[in-house]
Amino acid sequence: MNTLSWMWSELTRPRGHQRHRFYRIGRSSRAGVALLMVLSAIMLLTILVTEIAHSATVRIKLAAHHRDEVRSEALAETGIQLYRLILMASKQLGRNPMIMEYGAMMGINADTLWQMVPFINTGLMRMVFVSDGDMDEGDATRLAAAGLSEDERDESREGRRNFLDFDGDFSASIQDESRFIYVGRLQATSFAELLELPAAQEIQGLMSKEEVNDYFYRENIDKMELIGNLVDWTDADDMRLYEGGDEAALYERLDSPYKPKNAPFDSIQEIRLVDGWHRDGVWERLGRHLTIYGAGKINVNTAQKDVMRAILAAFIEGYTSEQYIDTLLDLLLAARGLPLSEGGVHFTSAQSFKTWVERELGVTLKESVLQAVSTESEVFRVEASGEVGDSRVEIKAVIDYSTNPIGQIVYWKVE
């Protein structure tokens, strides 16, 4: 007999003698049924109340998380908008006639202001505020590991009109897209014409390193085919620029086949869909130095080391060894990193770059370098994150100032 059957039997069996005056003759007492119904009702109500309370708690937590997520996104967007203001001010000041006149003598231009603020971190600002500017290495380590305590956060929000008087924190960083090699829309009707494009020559400059050549040899990768495939992805026709043939044939053999886009790139990540560029080794060596944004010229004041090396390798007249290019590159980067007062250099035009390299490094650059480099940036990538409680939201934006003084957002992604 199971438990329920036993309980039912015990609650409903007659008590005492059937002819007792408290029992009606011939009938059994069923008073235990009422007790069973009461216990069942209490159990049901307990479950119902518990479920309602749990659901209410879950809804409250979800609402709080959603609230913090919205706040985090707002803080991240604050980081983006702050950099938009900095960039607007930088561009406006840099184009002021008086500043342009003195800037040429002092080695500054419209890009100077934003380079002075490479990142913003309100958590670090709070730490500086509560330490009265006396923050040591231990404070920085603690901030990176555990963040500020609640008391320190409250202290950082004290004072009227305090910039830090808000819950949570945000951080943001900026870099210009002109420090990379532009491949957004390479156009050529023949492979010979393609090789005359500055971007194609700069990519070949990236490929000129011995380590890259060794990798291509091991993996049986044709360097020229990689460059041609970039053009085939964005051009309107279906004919391969490199050695002819059908563009789609490269992608039909894949496990999940697709067709070449025959339209401009929409994101940097899309480059990895191009045949050959999907390889991690190729992307690590070459792809991370490419961009699809901007006018196509490299800013020689901000370009990274590998890109500057590619410029020298692509535009120095005559043959130069890898070791010689590396020596010239070290001299160039050392001068670019020094203040003007200590013999440093800040290029104010493409011609000033060509003149300096030829005078100081003793090599001759091709005239085509003047069409390949610049000394200002118009397109910027800003990445910002906001944190409130356990919520964190990241925003990546690309802002173009080439035609719009307040900046046109050409890419926006919330994560």
Side-chain angles (χ1 to χ4, degrees):
M1 180 181 297
N2 59 38
T3 304
L4 291 177
S5 299
W6 174 81
M7 183 179 295
W8 176 264
S9 175
E10 286 298 312
L11 290 172
T12 58
R13 69 181 178 80
R15 272 33 176 206
H17 300 289
Q18 290 186 357
R19 294 185 181 276
H20 192 274
R21 60 191 181 92
F22 290 104
Y23 294 92
R24 296 182 179 180
I25 297 174
R27 297 180 64 183
S28 298
S29 172
R30 301 288 182 177
V33 176
L35 178 59
L36 180 62
M37 293 180 64
V38 170
L39 291 175
S40 299
I42 293 174
M43 184 181 299
L44 180 61
L45 289 173
T46 301
I47 294 174
L48 182 61
V49 171
T50 302
E51 180 64 23
I52 292 174
H54 175 70
S55 298
T57 302
V58 170
R59 286 196 296 271
I60 291 173
K61 289 183 177 180
L62 286 174
H65 180 74
H66 180 67
R67 177 203 62 199
D68 290 347
E69 192 174 64
V70 171
R71 288 180 175 178
S72 298
E73 183 174 347
L75 286 176
E77 187 169 347
T78 298
I80 301 289
Q81 300 302 338
L82 274 177
Y83 267 121
R84 290 189 73 181
L85 288 174
I86 292 173
L87 289 168
M88 288 170 58
S90 181
K91 294 300 180 183
Q92 292 297 322
L93 290 173
R95 291 183 174 88
N96 182 283
M98 183 176 297
I99 294 179
M100 290 178 66
E101 180 181 351
Y102 288 100
M105 296 185 293
M106 300 174 60
I108 61 175
N109 57 20
D111 284 344
T112 303
L113 181 58
W114 69 262
Q115 292 182 66
M116 294 178 180
V117 192
F119 69 92
I120 299 172
N121 188 318
T122 58
L124 183 61
M125 291 180 185
R126 293 185 193 279
M127 179 64 78
V128 172
F129 184 87
V130 299
S131 63
D132 294 325
D134 186 22
M135 187 174 67
D136 56 22
E137 185 176 349
D139 293 329
T141 302
R142 178 171 66 85
L143 173 65
L148 294 170
S149 66
E150 287 301 319
D151 290 340
E152 289 173 328
R153 287 186 176 278
D154 291 339
E155 183 180 351
S156 71
R157 290 196 290 263
E158 292 178 356
R160 296 184 61 186
R161 298 183 179 180
N162 184 359
F163 169 71
L164 300 175
D165 188 13
F166 57 85
D167 293 330
D169 284 303
F170 69 85
S171 61
S173 61
I174 186 173
Q175 67 176 8
D176 60 316
E177 290 294 304
S178 298
R179 68 175 57 192
F180 305 117
I181 298 173
Y182 176 79
V183 296
R185 188 179 295 188
L186 300 180
Q187 296 180 346
T189 57
S190 67
F191 196 75
E193 182 182 340
L194 169 63
L195 295 183
E196 293 297 321
L197 297 180
Q201 296 176 28
E202 291 154 4
I203 295 175
Q204 291 182 76
L206 284 177
M207 297 175 174
S208 66
K209 295 181 67 174
E210 183 178 350
E211 185 274 331
V212 176
N213 281 313
D214 290 342
Y215 168 76
F216 284 167
Y217 179 78
R218 292 194 308 269
E219 299 295 326
N220 193 28
I221 299 174
D222 190 324
K223 297 186 293 184
M224 297 298 102
E225 184 178 14
L226 283 179
I227 301 175
N229 289 345
L230 287 173
V231 179
D232 292 333
W233 183 266
T234 58
D235 64 13
D237 61 52
D238 296 320
M239 183 66 65
R240 294 189 64 196
L241 200 63
Y242 180 77
E243 295 187 345
D246 184 17
E247 293 177 0
L250 289 174
Y251 307 95
E252 290 174 350
R253 56 196 169 116
L254 301 176
D255 294 336
S256 300
Y258 52 88
K259 293 182 179 181
K261 187 176 182 181
N262 291 336
F265 291 104
D266 287 322
S267 68
I268 298 292
Q269 291 73 26
E270 190 183 325
I271 297 177
R272 301 208 67 178
L273 294 176
V274 179
D275 185 67
W277 294 90
H278 66 284
R279 296 171 179 259
D280 292 337
V282 172
W283 187 257
E284 176 63 25
R285 291 167 174 83
L286 307 178
R288 61 193 180 94
H289 302 302
L290 307 183
T291 184
I292 64 169
Y293 304 106
K297 295 185 178 183
I298 299 173
N299 187 340
V300 290
N301 287 318
T302 62
Q304 299 170 317
K305 180 177 181 178
D306 286 344
V307 175
M308 290 300 296
R309 186 190 185 283
I311 292 174
L312 294 179
F315 296 106
I316 289 180
E317 291 278 10
Y319 170 78
T320 50
S321 66
E322 179 177 354
Q323 292 73 21
Y324 185 51
I325 290 178
D326 287 339
T327 300
L328 298 178
L329 178 64
D330 290 340
L331 293 173
L332 171 58
L333 295 180
R336 200 181 70 172
L338 287 175
L340 295 179
S341 60
E342 299 178 14
V345 60
H346 184 92
F347 305 111
T348 56
S349 66
Q351 184 61 57
S352 72
F353 169 74
K354 184 176 185 295
T355 301
W356 187 93
V357 169
E358 293 179 342
R359 183 183 68 246
E360 300 295 332
L361 302 184
V363 294
T364 302
L365 296 182
K366 300 174 184 177
E367 287 297 319
S368 56
V369 73
L370 299 178
Q371 306 303 318
V373 303
S374 71
T375 56
E376 291 188 23
S377 300
E378 299 291 348
V379 183
F380 302 85
R381 178 179 296 271
V382 182
E383 298 184 1
S385 63
E387 297 184 38
V388 177
D390 295 328
S391 296
R392 176 183 173 87
V393 174
E394 295 183 359
I395 299 179
K396 297 179 181 179
V398 176
I399 309 172
D400 186 352
Y401 284 84
S402 60
T403 59
N404 192 330
I406 65 173
Q408 178 183 358
I409 295 177
V410 295
Y411 179 82
W412 185 275
K413 184 177 181 180
V414 180
E415 298 177 341

